[in-house]
Amino acid sequence: MSENEGQPRNRAIVTGGSRGIGRGIAEALLGQGWRVFLCSRSEGSIAEALHELGGRFGGAVAGRAVDVRNQEAVDAFVAWVLGEVEGIDCLVNNAGLGRFGPVDELTGEQWREVLQTNLDGAFYFLHAVAPVMKRQGDGWIFNIASLAGKNPFAGGAAYNASKFGLIGLSEAAMLDLRKHGVRVSAILPGSVDTGFADRDQRSERKDHGWMLRPEDVAAMVLHLLSYPSRALPSLVEMRPSRPPK
Ligand SMILES: NC(=O)c1ccc[n+]([C@@H]2O[C@H](COP(=O)([O-])OP(=O)(O)OC[C@H]3O[C@@H](n4cnc5c(N)ncnc54)[C@H](OP(=O)(O)O)[C@@H]3O)[C@@H](O)[C@H]2O)c1
């Protein structure tokens, strides 16, 4: 019998849960009766999200400002969550950003900001949460990668590198953890209509109606969480079905 036997299986962490895709996933989980712990980088952003979501979902949602680039802060956040609930059933590694430009024009600071947020931050959360899930013999970790993790584009040196790396991390962690009952999946969305950094510099299009929406990615997370426990879709690509011609 696993340690999690008889325990609720509805406790989730969503990184970058203040806005965009993370917020959509948090809302979907809350709507299904999960307890959700959010983090995002800025105090103002997390406070606004907690105010709005708390009004709708009460004490089921809580959160703190955490910079995922800081391993000590990540460990402290996970320890805080485990002081509030006895386990963690779902981790969504979603916090991320993009800085774009030709490789010789990117600054070292921009490179580090992207790699440390999108890749190091995901590792720190995996590192902190995996032992908890291994003890439970159960859990699911979703890494929000991107189609940019398989398809390089000009100007994408830092972002592509971070997402190629995140897919590698996700697949290796999947092989490490599945024998302990812990599932790990990378979700690779195409363009999602959010305030994602630098969107306006990359796209002149004003009509975003063709794009995926945060709730589409959230629907995939909920779908996977309802999957039979013997099955593990480890890499999920999601595309807008009707991109502009
Ligand atoms: N939008 C797309 O087209 C698209 C497509 C494929 C994959 N993705 C991926 O999906 C994820 C979410 O993107 P999004 O479009 O929802 O972006 P977004 O609307 O810009 O939201 C980004 C979230 O990440 C948080 N964040 C950024 N840096 C952080 C840090 N150092 N520590 C903690 N939190 C941090 C932000 O917190 P603050 O609010 O505090 O700034 C915010 O909550 C990213 O990993 C992105 O690469 C996006």
Side-chain angles (χ1 to χ4, degrees):
M1 186 185 290
S2 73
E3 188 187 294
N4 210 30
E5 211 70 38
Q7 295 288 321
R9 292 193 176 151
N10 65 349
R11 301 150 303 186
I13 291 175
V14 181
T15 75
S18 61
R19 302 186 276 120
I21 295 171
R23 171 87 160 250
I25 294 171
E27 287 191 35
L29 290 168
L30 287 162
Q32 294 294 310
W34 283 67
R35 297 239 3 221
V36 177
F37 296 87
L38 308 176
C39 72
S40 80
R41 183 178 37 181
S42 76
E43 296 278 357
S45 180
I46 198 75
E48 186 281 325
L50 290 175
H51 178 71
E52 201 275 323
L53 293 173
R56 289 161 58 204
F57 299 104
V61 62
R64 288 185 172 179
V66 175
D67 188 330
V68 301
R69 295 172 292 180
N70 179 336
Q71 187 170 15
E72 279 181 16
V74 169
D75 287 345
F77 179 80
V78 172
W80 168 67
V81 170
L82 289 172
E84 300 288 312
V85 289
E86 285 178 20
I88 301 167
D89 307 289
C90 175
L91 164 65
V92 184
N93 267 324
N94 163 81
L97 47 73
R99 299 285 177 253
F100 302 98
V103 67
D104 53 323
E105 293 177 19
L106 275 177
T107 65
E109 194 179 336
Q110 288 175 314
W111 170 268
R112 284 186 290 279
E113 185 182 17
V114 174
L115 270 290
Q116 290 173 2
T117 305
N118 298 1
L119 187 53
D120 295 8
F123 167 74
Y124 298 150
F125 264 98
L126 256 161
H127 187 265
V129 168
V132 179
M133 292 184 171
K134 277 170 76 169
R135 280 198 298 279
Q136 293 168 178
D138 195 22
W140 206 321
I141 296 169
F142 297 97
N143 296 306
I144 308 301
S146 171
L147 291 179
K150 290 181 76 176
N151 306 285
F153 55 88
Y159 191 66
N160 286 136
S162 74
K163 294 299 184 178
F164 272 70
L166 181 57
I167 292 171
L169 167 63
S170 189
E171 297 263 270
M174 179 271 292
L175 295 171
D176 287 337
L177 297 176
R178 66 179 169 163
K179 49 184 174 271
H180 301 282
V182 180
R183 288 180 278 184
V184 182
S185 302
I187 298 180
L188 283 59
S191 297
V192 185
D193 192 9
T194 68
F196 189 67
D198 292 355
R199 156 107 48 228
D200 293 339
Q201 285 173 24
R202 288 189 298 142
S203 167
E204 310 243 304
R205 292 175 197 284
K206 295 281 180 254
D207 174 16
H208 292 176
W210 58 273
M211 287 181 177
L212 295 168
R213 295 190 179 166
E215 55 264 37
D216 303 329
V217 183
M220 179 57 69
V221 169
L222 291 188
H223 175 62
L224 292 176
L225 284 167
S226 71
Y227 236 64
S229 60
R230 70 182 160 271
L232 172 48
S234 54
L235 207 58
V236 180
E237 298 190 14
M238 295 185 65
R239 291 182 165 74
S241 54
R242 292 181 191 157
K245 289 186 181 148

